[in-house]
Amino acid sequence: MVGVRNGEDNVLLDSWGQRNVRAEPLTRRQIVRTEYGNPAYTELAQEAIELWKDPMFKDVFHQTGWLFGTDGSIELGRAPAFHQACANTRTHGDASGMVHLESWDAAIAKFPILGSDPRHAKDKAGFQAVYNENAGWVEPLGAMRALERECKRLGVKFTSGVGGTVVELLQDQDGKSVMGVRTRDGRNWIADKTIIAAGCYSDTLLDFKNQLQAVAYVVTHVQMTEDQYHRYKDLPVLNITDISYINTLDTEDAKRSWAPISVPRDPAYHPTDTQPDVAYTVTREFMQYILPEFVDAPVHSSRLCWDMESFDYNWLIGPHPDYPASLIIATGGSGHSFKNMVNVGKYIVQAAEGVLDDRYRNMWCWRPDRIGSSFKDEERFLRPKLELNEATGWKHS
């Protein structure tokens, strides 16, 4: 959410608006938690949690707590990342409701339902976890509707459809300033400041110099029986591992002067797409590990949920170096940003006004010169990802 103030003329242009099929993969839950490897995001998440408690989000934010665990493996840095994230919550977040569960038996003692299936103990020798009650989930469309109502109350104008589809930036004659944008209906929108907050579609509007990549995360819902629902309904959010997919569109197809660009396969035009076969295998492996009762449960629905990852997993928020007074970038959510929709706007406004704290300004600035300079910062981005063009089982239209 971009910060809004009374008396300012704010216009939000969006191809599809807030209630559309692009949002369907998000209609169930988005996790809200503070366990991050970077303490800055722990602090930002803790700030967001307090804001989610505002009456505006009544029945939207559910503070169920979450069970955050590791199988103890060092592959892809899983166990070290787990310990660092927990340490950051203890130091930079709210650990008053955090309980360390040193083994699988301790987890079952805390949540007996985890031991209800006879296969539950398999491969748990290295398991450990924390339960943190200072976490939960958000119902995304409800959150978006609440913010939309508040923005309209403050005078923000919303335009969607052809008139809200931005096709290019408008520059002044000398090319040193962005004057606004042109939408697909041919209208020129003139603005003092233009903010590009296009998420995984960012590459369609600007050359980001390989700082970003459109990445999808698998969202799967399995069908529970009524008995299973009543037995599992009080279990908190669970997190153990994940897998990502990329989709790179070449310049010729994208009709852009920079190449290659990375964009999603738009669910608005391909509503029957599901998850790749290999992703379903990984999903079943996860259920086999933590909830074996559901390993053969019928899949109710599966989708790919898209976001824009930056090369170092930090947001990209700040002025564009070629147009510092007129163009602000706000993208690079990197799979860990929905929870911050309640507070990120404050930082975008601060960046636009040139008053962003130096710590964040340096972390989030335009930084293609840093690509390849720190393996530690880029390790997660460099992990193997599956190119959708090479996957099977997901493309149905």
Side-chain angles (χ1 to χ4, degrees):
M1 177 182 178
V2 174
V4 176
R5 297 173 180 171
N6 284 305
E8 294 184 346
D9 188 10
N10 294 278
V11 178
L12 189 149
L13 303 175
D14 187 349
S15 296
W16 295 87
Q18 302 302 325
R19 305 167 191 179
N20 63 84
V21 305
R22 278 178 170 163
E24 280 186 5
L26 303 176
T27 54
R28 297 295 192 269
R29 300 179 178 184
Q30 283 285 294
I31 298 172
V32 178
R33 42 88 176 201
T34 61
E35 283 72 28
Y36 285 102
N38 186 330
Y41 294 103
T42 295
E43 295 170 1
L44 290 163
Q46 182 58 45
E47 179 184 49
I49 285 175
E50 298 306 315
L51 293 172
W52 282 114
K53 297 175 183 177
D54 188 281
M56 182 194 315
F57 301 110
K58 183 179 181 294
D59 300 324
V60 171
F61 173 54
H62 304 266
Q63 191 170 341
T64 61
W66 88 320
L67 185 68
F68 176 47
T70 175
D71 62 3
S73 66
I74 61 173
E75 181 186 4
L76 301 179
R78 288 192 184 105
F82 165 80
H83 291 295
Q84 183 61 61
C86 294
N88 285 341
T89 286
R90 294 187 182 97
T91 305
H92 301 278
D94 178 2
S96 61
M98 178 183 279
V99 178
H100 181 225
L101 305 172
E102 69 279 1
S103 67
W104 180 244
D105 288 341
I108 292 176
K110 181 70 176 176
F111 300 104
I113 188 64
L114 291 175
S116 62
D117 187 282
R119 298 166 289 182
H120 72 86
K122 184 179 180 181
D123 300 325
K124 298 299 193 305
F127 180 89
Q128 58 179 302
V130 295
Y131 169 67
N132 189 354
E133 66 180 25
N134 183 44
W137 59 276
V138 165
E139 192 277 294
L141 290 186
M144 295 297 292
R145 288 168 181 147
L147 288 179
E148 181 183 20
R149 289 192 297 268
E150 181 66 7
C151 286
K152 286 182 176 179
R153 185 186 71 82
L154 294 172
V156 176
K157 301 176 180 66
F158 289 75
T159 299
S160 58
V162 174
T165 303
V166 177
V167 294
E168 64 178 313
L169 302 177
L170 300 175
Q171 300 181 31
D172 60 11
Q173 290 185 346
D174 60 12
K176 295 182 178 180
S177 179
V178 171
M179 302 169 55
V181 300
R182 177 173 292 120
T183 46
R184 185 161 290 165
D185 61 354
R187 178 175 177 178
N188 292 338
W189 297 78
I190 307 302
D192 295 324
K193 288 186 184 292
T194 298
I195 300 174
I196 295 181
C200 52
Y201 296 87
S202 298
D203 255 3
T204 65
L205 296 174
L206 192 68
D207 183 0
F208 281 87
K209 309 295 184 182
N210 298 315
Q211 296 176 91
L212 303 173
Q213 186 176 70
V215 171
Y217 311 99
V218 172
V219 179
T220 304
H221 299 106
V222 299
Q223 184 67 52
M224 305 174 76
T225 65
E226 185 174 353
D227 171 68
Q228 288 171 332
Y229 167 75
H230 288 292
R231 288 190 291 114
Y232 282 90
K233 65 182 179 65
D234 295 323
L235 192 66
V237 175
L238 303 175
N239 179 272
I240 304 295
T241 187
D242 56 31
I243 189 168
S244 300
Y245 300 87
I246 61 173
N247 188 40
T248 303
L249 191 66
D250 63 32
T251 307
E252 183 178 356
D253 290 340
K255 298 181 180 178
R256 292 291 183 267
S257 59
W258 50 91
I261 75 169
S262 183
V263 295
R265 179 173 156 97
D266 198 324
Y269 299 112
H270 306 281
T272 59
D273 283 358
T274 57
Q275 60 179 309
D277 294 331
V278 66
Y280 180 57
T281 298
V282 173
T283 299
R284 293 186 78 251
E285 289 173 352
F286 169 77
M287 289 189 290
Q288 179 70 59
Y289 183 77
I290 199 74
L291 295 173
E293 183 172 346
F294 296 100
V295 71
D296 294 316
V299 174
H300 178 270
S301 62
S302 67
R303 297 289 296 274
L304 295 175
C305 176
W306 291 91
D307 199 359
M308 202 64 154
E309 289 187 354
S310 72
F311 71 96
D312 59 4
Y313 270 69
N314 290 314
W315 297 340
L316 185 54
I317 297 176
H320 190 285
D322 293 342
Y323 321 102
S326 57
L327 181 61
I328 306 300
I329 307 301
T331 187
S334 301
H336 60 85
S337 301
F338 190 93
K339 71 184 69 58
N340 295 107
M341 66 186 292
V342 291
N343 61 335
V344 69
K346 174 178 70 174
Y347 300 102
I348 296 172
V349 169
Q350 290 174 358
E353 296 179 344
V355 296
L356 184 64
D357 183 270
D358 286 346
R359 177 194 186 192
Y360 295 131
R361 182 181 58 80
N362 181 64
M363 187 186 305
W364 299 336
C365 67
W366 186 267
R367 51 191 186 279
D369 56 308
R370 300 182 192 174
I371 296 174
S373 64
S374 172
F375 177 77
K376 179 181 177 181
D377 292 340
E378 300 177 41
E379 184 274 331
R380 181 171 175 176
F381 184 78
L382 294 174
R383 293 177 188 176
K385 296 182 176 72
L386 178 66
E387 173 68 58
L388 277 180
N389 289 334
E390 301 170 0
T392 60
W394 63 276
K395 191 174 182 179
H396 303 290
S397 64

